[in-house]
Amino acid sequence: MKTSIIKSIVRVTLIIQTIVLVSSCKDYLNIDNYFDDEFNIDSVFSNARNMEAYMWGAAAMFPDESNTVRFGYTPGPMATDEGFNGLTGSGSNNVYYGMDYVTGNITPDFFGAGASGSNYNLDQWGRYYKIIRKCNAILQNLDTPKDLTNADRLRLEGYTRFIRAYAYYNIIVDYGPAILLGDEVINTNEPLEYYDRPRATYDETMDYTCEEFEQAARLLPQEGNVLDFGRPTKGAAFALVARLRLIHASPLFNGGPVAASYYGNWTRKTDGAHYVSQQYDESRWAVAAAAAKRVMDMGQYRLYTVPAYDETASLPTGVVSDPNFYNTYPNGAGGIDAFHSYSDIFTGEAVARINPEIIWGRSTGYINEFISKGSFPPSLGGWGRFCVTQKVVDAYLMDDGRTKEEATPDGYYSETGFTTEPRNFSGYPMNSGVYNMYANREMRFYASIGFNEAIWQALSSSNLNNHTAKYYYQDVDGRGGVTATSPNYPITGYVIKKFNHPMDAFNGTGARHMEKAYAIIRYAEILLSYAEALNNLTGSHTVQLDNEPYSLSRNIDEIKNAFNRVRYRAGLPGLTEAQLANPSAVQSQIERERMVEFLWENRRYYDVRRWGIYEETEREPIRGMNPDGATKESYYQRVIPGTSSFLTRVVNKRAVWVPIPRAEMRRLPSLDQNPGYN
């Protein structure tokens, strides 16, 4: 029983070492970086310095939020239709838990390789409860340190409440309903009955978590210090509330046929209550809209943009602004460089600490160590196997805003032939002879996707720069070129290039990487969430937040202004009047936009589930180009990659949430497992 997540969170003594610069609430303690002595738990609360160190030590237990792919703590991009990896093997041989998850290998007894080592895996349930217990101990002892000023006491309470809320946030998005402990500090060495308690319902967990963020927001600073990048602010708390309220309003969790299909028979064994509400409540959309609007009304955040300059590509015919305004951003797509306005957020070119779009983020080395290396061509020292899918490629619009289907009849989009002229825009070079499928696409495509015969600039390497990656079978970066038994090739023909700076290089003279930051939540999400929430309203609603009333309805101008701002930043036209008049059309545009805008930012996995389209998206086979193709004619064919059973994706309703570890189920008889894992 002493190993239970609720019982063994605290021991009589503990060692706190190097508790800064590694947590999800990042870069924290300026007084001292570590304690190197073992001390009694009571000493934690003997003075302000120890208490603050203990608090940031709790924050240090969160995984790196960018760590979503290799040895990840959450299913991530490879557990949905935006990512794929050709590395064969499973279980102890696989380090891509998203692939284990989507192929049905994750069970209450197995959460991915690395469980016994220092790497994370999908079993984070116990870790989050350890964080919660530490936070509860702090809140119980806020009056204990005699040298703690009232201002510092309120500051520590705000951070602690945020940390605790963020632990519950991670539980609800990955595991569903939580065991709510409130402010209780769980004792040790108690009888079994003391620890046994049921899970709350989904609604109860959601309301509790959001209220904790609300309380934290009242105490957190409005703005962060650039030297403390990563510490949560009022805006971070409000933005996470907006994200959670949108999830809460969505079909999977808000009554109706989708909720009934997934959770109609899932009830709590202690009292028969439905874990997920079976009654639709439109007011949830109003609450989600109000929560997003509150962030917008702070006036503190905006989309990051770079002014147009000599090398900025001209806007194509058809990209026009609202006729009532000049065609300059934010009222149109003109006047900015759409490529850099998007790309620089992720490559390290834009300084994250002062980027007005990043509401909350963290400095991280994981992107360079894994995501960048995982996508870099093998001939340049990378693995070349962190793949995106053909579905993602097809989702990108043409640079004039049309879909590929709309642009096919006049030849603006084609899946035959190759470009005849080289192109260079915004410092992005493209050879002639590129497959026409990749010509004339929107700027986010070039900023995000590494395709066959794309150039990897690697400019910090003086002898291996401007490399053209060729993925034909016999070429150096193709399946046969890296040896037929190696997994280091792009099995779909596409890799994620989004997080690579033009200077980044792994091999060659002078090779180095730009420092990267990861945006946990950014302003583009708030804008699209606001548009989506408003679009789902059929009546008028008034919502009270912070004693401020928000009157909300399906206001076309509000939807257009929020959505179009994201589209204009991408160099594209906004929604048409015909689309705006049709809520279903707007929803379709929002779904496409979120897929593209947040590619590999750990949103797609949650989006397809909350929308209730998970089974639809997963049943569609993953496709890409043909890695066995040795010529252009044989390579550029849409195929379903891989024949290994490990690559066979399983569609199962249980895959909405990660299972609770079986060990916890055995210890707590009142605890119900997530559906499908019994």
Side-chain angles (χ1 to χ4, degrees):
M1 186 58 203
K2 287 186 179 180
T3 58
S4 169
I5 55 103
I6 296 180
K7 185 175 179 182
S8 67
I9 297 168
V10 152
R11 297 188 180 132
V12 176
T13 60
L14 72 160
I15 300 173
I16 299 178
Q17 291 179 313
T18 54
I19 59 177
V20 298
L21 302 176
V22 293
S23 84
S24 101
C25 293
K26 314 59 174 178
D27 299 355
Y28 303 120
L29 190 58
N30 295 324
I31 302 170
D32 192 358
N33 282 356
Y34 61 90
F35 291 114
D36 57 7
D37 295 320
E38 192 174 276
F39 56 97
N40 188 278
I41 187 65
D42 292 338
S43 299
V44 170
F45 309 116
S46 63
N47 59 61
R49 177 177 176 273
N50 286 6
M51 177 174 275
E52 178 151 1
Y54 187 69
M55 179 187 71
W56 293 129
M61 296 175 66
F62 284 114
D64 180 338
E65 288 87 350
S66 68
N67 187 356
T68 59
V69 181
R70 192 174 190 268
F71 292 118
Y73 71 100
T74 189
M78 289 184 182
T80 189
D81 56 358
E82 67 175 355
F84 200 72
N85 176 59
L87 183 66
T88 56
S90 62
S92 61
N93 296 319
N94 181 44
V95 295
Y96 302 101
Y97 308 143
M99 291 297 295
D100 260 336
Y101 189 76
V102 81
T103 51
N105 291 319
I106 298 300
T107 70
D109 302 300
F110 178 76
F111 291 87
S116 61
S118 60
N119 294 299
Y120 287 100
N121 65 9
L122 298 187
D123 180 8
Q124 299 301 311
W125 173 271
R127 182 183 301 271
Y128 297 137
Y129 277 103
K130 290 178 183 179
I131 294 170
I132 289 165
R133 192 194 193 284
K134 287 177 180 288
C135 290
N136 285 356
I138 294 169
L139 294 173
Q140 188 180 75
N141 286 277
L142 278 173
D143 293 328
T144 302
K146 302 306 180 186
D147 61 340
L148 193 63
T149 67
N150 189 57
D152 281 341
R153 184 176 292 105
L154 293 174
R155 178 177 61 85
L156 292 186
E157 180 183 350
Y159 284 132
T160 302
R161 286 191 179 278
F162 183 95
I163 293 166
R164 183 171 70 176
Y166 193 52
Y168 279 115
Y169 162 88
N170 280 277
I171 291 170
I172 196 172
V173 297
D174 278 346
Y175 295 93
I179 299 173
L180 298 179
L181 301 181
D183 295 335
E184 181 181 3
V185 179
I186 303 299
N187 297 327
T188 57
N189 300 314
E190 297 285 350
L192 173 64
E193 294 77 15
Y194 171 80
Y195 302 101
D196 186 29
R197 57 199 75 197
R199 302 168 78 176
T201 66
Y202 188 85
D203 288 357
E204 290 165 348
T205 306
M206 180 65 72
D207 290 342
Y208 177 83
T209 305
C210 288
E211 179 54 32
E212 280 301 301
F213 277 128
E214 296 282 356
Q215 291 193 50
R218 297 182 189 111
L219 300 170
L220 289 172
Q222 179 91 5
E223 298 184 14
N225 189 308
V226 293
L227 298 179
D228 294 324
F229 176 68
R231 288 192 180 186
T233 61
K234 184 185 297 291
F238 283 165
L240 289 176
V241 169
R243 176 183 284 177
L244 286 174
R245 289 304 186 185
L246 187 76
I247 294 171
H248 196 208
S250 297
L252 186 63
F253 306 112
N254 192 9
V258 177
S261 172
Y262 279 75
Y263 301 120
N265 297 321
W266 190 37
T267 58
R268 189 162 51 196
K269 61 186 165 190
T270 56
D271 62 2
H274 278 95
Y275 272 110
V276 174
S277 173
Q278 298 300 297
Q279 299 296 318
Y280 178 70
D281 182 0
E282 180 175 291
S283 68
R284 291 187 187 179
W285 289 111
V287 173
K293 188 64 163 63
R294 177 172 60 179
V295 178
M296 296 163 65
D297 288 346
M298 291 178 73
Q300 191 172 332
Y301 306 106
R302 60 178 174 81
L303 297 186
Y304 175 82
T305 57
V306 173
Y309 69 112
D310 306 1
E311 296 183 13
T312 299
S314 300
L315 292 175
T317 302
V319 180
V320 296
S321 69
D322 186 312
N324 297 318
F325 296 96
Y326 294 108
N327 190 25
T328 54
Y329 191 84
N331 299 311
I336 62 171
D337 186 287
F339 178 87
H340 282 295
S341 294
Y342 183 76
S343 177
D344 289 3
I345 300 169
F346 313 104
T347 64
E349 180 66 23
V351 180
R353 293 171 184 267
I354 58 174
N355 187 335
E357 182 165 350
I358 297 179
I359 299 174
W360 191 35
R362 64 164 299 149
S363 298
T364 178
Y366 178 86
I367 292 175
N368 284 333
E369 183 180 0
F370 289 119
I371 297 182
S372 180
K373 190 169 187 176
S375 59
F376 239 70
S379 58
L380 296 184
W383 302 331
R385 63 172 183 251
F386 283 13
C387 298
V388 296
T389 64
Q390 186 67 49
K391 185 175 185 177
V392 168
V393 171
D394 292 344
Y396 285 96
L397 297 173
M398 309 306 293
D399 58 8
D400 61 4
R402 290 184 292 172
T403 65
K404 67 183 184 66
E405 291 79 13
E406 291 167 338
T408 296
D410 63 9
Y412 202 63
Y413 173 85
S414 176
E415 294 188 15
T416 61
F418 304 89
T419 61
T420 58
E421 298 290 337
R423 190 180 177 199
N424 193 308
F425 53 87
S426 306
Y428 179 94
M430 195 160 66
N431 295 321
S432 61
V434 168
Y435 190 39
N436 275 334
M437 180 189 287
Y438 314 137
N440 306 322
R441 304 305 285 269
E442 59 158 293
M443 291 297 109
R444 288 177 299 188
F445 172 79
Y446 301 111
S448 303
I449 307 299
F451 50 87
N452 189 33
E453 298 207 36
I455 295 174
W456 294 72
Q457 291 171 273
L459 296 178
S460 65
S461 172
S462 60
N463 60 325
L464 291 177
N465 54 41
N466 290 315
H467 171 75
T468 300
K470 295 186 178 182
Y471 300 143
Y472 306 109
Y473 183 84
Q474 79 283 3
D475 278 289
V476 65
D477 296 316
R479 180 180 179 186
V482 298
T483 75
T485 59
S486 171
N488 291 342
Y489 68 94
I491 191 170
T492 66
Y494 308 103
V495 293
I496 185 74
K497 201 179 185 186
K498 179 174 180 175
F499 301 97
N500 287 286
H501 191 278
M503 295 296 294
D504 288 351
F506 285 94
N507 287 349
T509 304
R512 62 189 188 276
H513 270 78
M514 291 286 287
E515 293 183 4
K516 305 292 194 303
Y518 183 80
I520 299 169
I521 187 164
R522 54 190 179 90
Y523 190 56
E525 180 179 340
I526 298 298
L527 292 173
L528 292 179
S529 295
Y530 181 58
E532 181 180 350
L534 288 183
N535 187 57
N536 278 277
L537 295 177
T538 62
S540 298
H541 300 266
T542 299
V543 175
Q544 199 87 9
L545 289 178
D546 300 327
N547 298 317
E548 181 74 25
Y550 290 83
S551 297
L552 300 151
S553 60
R554 190 179 183 277
N555 185 306
I556 287 178
D557 287 337
E558 289 285 293
I559 294 171
K560 178 173 68 173
N561 291 339
F563 182 91
N564 285 0
R565 194 155 295 200
V566 179
R567 275 279 176 90
Y568 291 156
R569 196 264 294 273
L572 297 170
L575 293 169
T576 66
E577 295 303 316
Q579 288 170 333
L580 284 164
N582 184 342
S584 295
V586 172
Q587 180 65 29
S588 295
Q589 292 300 313
I590 287 170
E591 291 177 11
R592 176 195 291 269
E593 195 66 19
R594 288 183 69 99
M595 183 181 193
V596 168
E597 177 71 22
F598 304 128
L599 179 68
W600 276 53
E601 293 181 60
N602 203 29
R603 302 281 17 106
R604 178 73 177 171
Y605 170 84
Y606 301 108
D607 278 346
V608 297
R609 283 157 174 78
R610 70 178 177 85
W611 287 326
I613 63 172
Y614 152 71
E615 292 175 277
E616 172 190 334
T617 60
E618 290 304 306
R619 282 204 175 98
E620 181 180 341
I622 295 296
R623 288 185 171 84
M625 295 291 99
N626 180 16
D628 293 324
T631 65
K632 289 189 173 185
E633 289 72 20
S634 60
Y635 179 85
Y636 291 112
Q637 297 179 25
R638 294 170 183 254
V639 299
I640 301 172
T643 56
S644 166
S645 61
F646 171 67
L647 301 179
T648 303
R649 296 159 74 88
V650 175
V651 180
N652 192 311
K653 282 183 168 68
R654 76 180 193 178
V656 169
W657 286 321
V658 177
I660 296 174
R662 192 177 304 280
E664 292 305 321
M665 300 300 302
R666 288 172 176 160
R667 294 185 187 108
L668 306 175
S670 296
L671 189 64
D672 290 317
Q673 180 60 275
N674 284 332
Y677 288 108
N678 290 318

